Amino acid sequence: MKTIMLCLAAALCISACSLANKKPVADTEIGLRTVDLNDETNVTNPEIKWVGDAPGVNKRFDRSFENAPPLIPHSLDGLVPITKDLNSCLTCHTPEVAKDAGTIPAPKSHLVDLRTGKDLKGQVSDERFNCTQCHVPQADVKPLKQNNFKADFRYKDSNESSNLLDILNQGI
Protein backbone atom coordinates (compact mmCIF):
# COMPACT_ATOMS: atom_id res chain seq x y z
CA MET A 1 0.00 0.00 0.00
CA LYS A 2 2.89 2.31 0.86
CA THR A 3 4.45 1.65 -2.56
CA ILE A 4 1.19 2.49 -4.34
CA MET A 5 0.87 5.76 -2.41
CA LEU A 6 4.46 6.72 -3.24
CA CYS A 7 3.89 5.96 -6.92
CA LEU A 8 0.70 8.04 -6.96
CA ALA A 9 2.44 10.94 -5.22
CA ALA A 10 5.32 10.78 -7.73
CA ALA A 11 2.90 10.71 -10.66
CA LEU A 12 1.04 13.70 -9.24
CA CYS A 13 4.29 15.67 -8.84
CA ILE A 14 5.40 14.87 -12.39
CA SER A 15 1.99 15.85 -13.73
CA ALA A 16 1.95 19.14 -11.77
CA CYS A 17 5.46 20.02 -12.97
CA SER A 18 4.60 19.37 -16.61
CA LEU A 19 1.46 21.51 -16.36
CA ALA A 20 3.39 24.35 -14.74
CA ASN A 21 5.71 24.53 -17.76
CA LYS A 22 2.87 24.77 -20.31
CA LYS A 23 1.94 28.17 -21.68
CA PRO A 24 -1.74 29.08 -21.60
CA VAL A 25 -3.56 29.15 -24.92
CA ALA A 26 -3.93 32.71 -26.15
CA ASP A 27 -7.48 33.88 -26.77
CA THR A 28 -6.47 34.74 -30.34
CA GLU A 29 -6.01 30.99 -30.93
CA ILE A 30 -9.39 29.84 -29.61
CA GLY A 31 -12.00 30.82 -32.19
CA LEU A 32 -12.28 31.67 -35.85
CA ARG A 33 -11.81 35.43 -35.32
CA THR A 34 -8.10 35.32 -34.34
CA VAL A 35 -8.40 38.55 -32.31
CA ASP A 36 -8.44 39.37 -28.62
CA LEU A 37 -11.81 38.10 -27.41
CA ASN A 38 -12.23 41.17 -25.20
CA ASP A 39 -11.67 43.57 -28.11
CA GLU A 40 -14.97 44.35 -29.78
CA THR A 41 -13.86 47.60 -31.47
CA ASN A 42 -13.07 46.16 -34.90
CA VAL A 43 -15.58 43.32 -35.10
CA THR A 44 -17.27 43.03 -38.48
CA ASN A 45 -19.52 40.36 -39.84
CA PRO A 46 -18.46 38.67 -43.05
CA GLU A 47 -20.27 39.70 -46.22
CA ILE A 48 -23.14 37.25 -46.70
CA LYS A 49 -25.26 36.88 -49.80
CA TRP A 50 -28.58 35.59 -48.50
CA VAL A 51 -30.35 33.24 -50.88
CA GLY A 52 -33.99 34.00 -51.22
CA ASP A 53 -36.53 36.47 -52.43
CA ALA A 54 -40.27 36.32 -52.00
CA PRO A 55 -41.67 33.19 -50.34
CA GLY A 56 -42.44 30.35 -52.71
CA VAL A 57 -40.04 31.18 -55.55
CA ASN A 58 -36.72 29.77 -54.35
CA LYS A 59 -35.14 26.33 -54.45
CA ARG A 60 -35.08 24.64 -51.04
CA PHE A 61 -31.82 23.24 -49.73
CA ASP A 62 -31.85 19.69 -48.37
CA ARG A 63 -31.58 19.29 -44.60
CA SER A 64 -28.05 19.04 -43.22
CA PHE A 65 -28.85 15.81 -41.35
CA GLU A 66 -31.87 13.75 -40.37
CA ASN A 67 -34.47 15.89 -38.57
CA ALA A 68 -32.32 19.01 -38.82
CA PRO A 69 -34.37 22.21 -38.88
CA PRO A 70 -34.84 23.15 -42.54
CA LEU A 71 -33.33 26.38 -43.81
CA ILE A 72 -35.65 29.26 -44.68
CA PRO A 73 -35.66 29.60 -48.50
CA HIS A 74 -36.89 33.22 -48.61
CA SER A 75 -36.14 36.68 -47.31
CA LEU A 76 -37.13 37.57 -43.76
CA ASP A 77 -37.65 41.25 -44.58
CA GLY A 78 -40.76 42.41 -42.73
CA LEU A 79 -41.20 39.03 -40.98
CA VAL A 80 -38.99 39.58 -37.94
CA PRO A 81 -38.87 40.16 -35.05
CA ILE A 82 -41.02 37.20 -34.03
CA THR A 83 -42.90 37.39 -30.77
CA LYS A 84 -45.39 35.09 -29.10
CA ASP A 85 -48.19 37.46 -30.10
CA LEU A 86 -46.93 38.29 -33.60
CA ASN A 87 -45.48 35.47 -35.66
CA SER A 88 -45.63 36.18 -39.40
CA CYS A 89 -44.25 32.71 -40.21
CA LEU A 90 -47.42 31.07 -38.96
CA THR A 91 -49.48 33.13 -41.41
CA CYS A 92 -48.37 30.67 -44.11
CA HIS A 93 -46.98 27.68 -42.22
CA THR A 94 -49.81 26.51 -39.95
CA PRO A 95 -50.95 23.11 -41.26
CA GLU A 96 -54.43 24.21 -42.32
CA VAL A 97 -53.14 27.26 -44.25
CA ALA A 98 -50.08 25.52 -45.70
CA LYS A 99 -52.25 23.04 -47.61
CA ASP A 100 -53.97 25.80 -49.57
CA ALA A 101 -50.94 28.10 -49.80
CA GLY A 102 -48.57 25.38 -51.04
CA THR A 103 -46.10 26.03 -48.22
CA ILE A 104 -44.35 23.65 -45.85
CA PRO A 105 -46.56 23.12 -42.79
CA ALA A 106 -45.13 23.33 -39.28
CA PRO A 107 -44.46 19.69 -38.30
CA LYS A 108 -46.42 17.78 -35.67
CA SER A 109 -43.54 18.20 -33.21
CA HIS A 110 -44.29 21.94 -33.10
CA LEU A 111 -47.96 21.31 -32.26
CA VAL A 112 -47.36 19.15 -29.20
CA ASP A 113 -46.17 20.03 -25.72
CA LEU A 114 -43.01 17.90 -25.73
CA ARG A 115 -42.86 17.86 -21.91
CA THR A 116 -46.30 16.33 -21.47
CA GLY A 117 -47.01 14.84 -24.90
CA LYS A 118 -50.29 16.78 -25.02
CA ASP A 119 -51.66 17.50 -28.51
CA LEU A 120 -52.23 21.27 -28.75
CA LYS A 121 -54.99 20.95 -31.38
CA GLY A 122 -53.16 22.86 -34.12
CA GLN A 123 -51.64 25.54 -31.87
CA VAL A 124 -47.87 25.99 -31.86
CA SER A 125 -46.28 25.10 -28.54
CA ASP A 126 -45.19 28.02 -26.35
CA GLU A 127 -41.66 26.62 -26.50
CA ARG A 128 -41.62 26.56 -30.31
CA PHE A 129 -43.03 29.94 -31.42
CA ASN A 130 -39.62 31.58 -32.09
CA CYS A 131 -38.95 30.11 -35.53
CA THR A 132 -35.57 31.78 -36.07
CA GLN A 133 -34.24 30.16 -32.92
CA CYS A 134 -33.70 27.01 -35.03
CA HIS A 135 -34.44 27.99 -38.62
CA VAL A 136 -32.09 30.34 -40.47
CA PRO A 137 -32.15 31.80 -43.98
CA GLN A 138 -30.22 29.98 -46.68
CA ALA A 139 -26.94 31.73 -47.43
CA ASP A 140 -24.47 31.38 -50.27
CA VAL A 141 -21.21 31.31 -48.28
CA LYS A 142 -18.01 29.32 -48.14
CA PRO A 143 -17.62 27.28 -44.97
CA LEU A 144 -15.17 28.76 -42.45
CA LYS A 145 -13.69 25.32 -41.88
CA GLN A 146 -13.77 22.46 -44.37
CA ASN A 147 -15.22 19.14 -43.29
CA ASN A 148 -16.17 15.88 -44.95
CA PHE A 149 -19.46 15.26 -43.12
CA LYS A 150 -22.04 13.48 -45.25
CA ALA A 151 -25.56 13.14 -43.92
CA ASP A 152 -26.90 9.61 -43.60
CA PHE A 153 -30.69 9.63 -43.93
CA ARG A 154 -32.33 6.46 -42.62
CA TYR A 155 -35.78 7.09 -44.06
CA LYS A 156 -37.09 8.00 -47.51
CA ASP A 157 -37.53 11.78 -47.90
CA SER A 158 -35.75 12.52 -44.59
CA ASN A 159 -33.70 15.15 -46.41
CA GLU A 160 -36.94 17.07 -47.07
CA SER A 161 -39.20 16.30 -44.10
CA SER A 162 -39.15 15.57 -40.40
CA ASN A 163 -40.27 12.56 -38.41
CA LEU A 164 -38.91 13.93 -35.14
CA LEU A 165 -42.11 13.41 -33.17
CA ASP A 166 -42.26 9.75 -34.25
CA ILE A 167 -38.63 9.28 -33.21
CA LEU A 168 -39.26 10.97 -29.84
CA ASN A 169 -42.33 8.84 -29.24
CA GLN A 170 -40.27 5.67 -29.73
CA GLY A 171 -38.53 6.47 -26.45
CA ILE A 172 -35.01 5.65 -25.48
Side-chain angles (χ1 to χ4, degrees), residues 5 7 10 27 35 45 52-53 55 59-60 83-84 88 101 114 117 124-125 140 150 153 157:
M5 293 303 283
C7 288
D27 59 0
V35 296
N45 289 324
D53 297 316
K59 177 188 178 295
R60 290 190 343 235
T83 66
K84 191 171 181 216
S88 299
L114 294 176
V124 171
S125 171
D140 186 15
K150 297 288 183 226
F153 297 100
D157 298 329

Side-chain angles (χ1 to χ4, degrees), residues 27-105:
D27 59 0
T28 58
E29 299 174 36
I30 294 174
L32 298 172
R33 284 186 17 199
T34 65
V35 296
D36 180 349
L37 295 179
N38 296 315
D39 179 13
E40 296 292 329
T41 55
N42 295 317
V43 175
T44 57
N45 289 324
E47 189 62 36
I48 296 174
K49 179 184 173 200
W50 297 104
V51 177
D53 297 316
V57 298
N58 299 300
K59 177 188 178 295
R60 290 190 343 235
F61 289 11
D62 284 345
R63 292 171 188 251
S64 301
F65 53 88
E66 190 172 304
N67 288 312
L71 299 174
I72 302 169
H74 58 77
S75 169
L76 293 180
D77 289 344
L79 301 177
V80 292
I82 296 170
T83 66
K84 191 171 181 216
D85 298 323
L86 180 62
N87 184 331
S88 299
C89 303
L90 295 176
T91 305
C92 298
H93 293 283
T94 54
E96 61 275 358
V97 173
K99 254 188 266 180
D100 297 331
T103 60
I104 306 297

Side-chain angles (χ1 to χ4, degrees), residues 109-165:
S109 62
H110 290 46
L111 311 174
V112 169
D113 183 332
L114 294 176
R115 291 174 293 153
T116 63
K118 179 182 174 192
D119 184 344
L120 299 174
K121 310 284 189 243
Q123 295 297 312
V124 171
S125 171
D126 288 345
E127 292 82 21
R128 307 295 288 269
F129 77 89
N130 186 1
C131 306
T132 55
Q133 181 173 322
C134 298
H135 304 277
V136 296
Q138 297 177 164
D140 186 15
V141 294
K142 286 182 166 180
L144 295 173
K145 294 286 184 183
Q146 294 297 324
N147 72 64
N148 58 2
F149 174 80
K150 297 288 183 226
D152 183 18
F153 297 100
R154 296 178 291 173
Y155 304 101
K156 184 178 185 272
D157 298 329
S158 289
N159 61 333
E160 297 176 356
S161 62
S162 172
N163 66 345
L164 181 61
L165 191 58

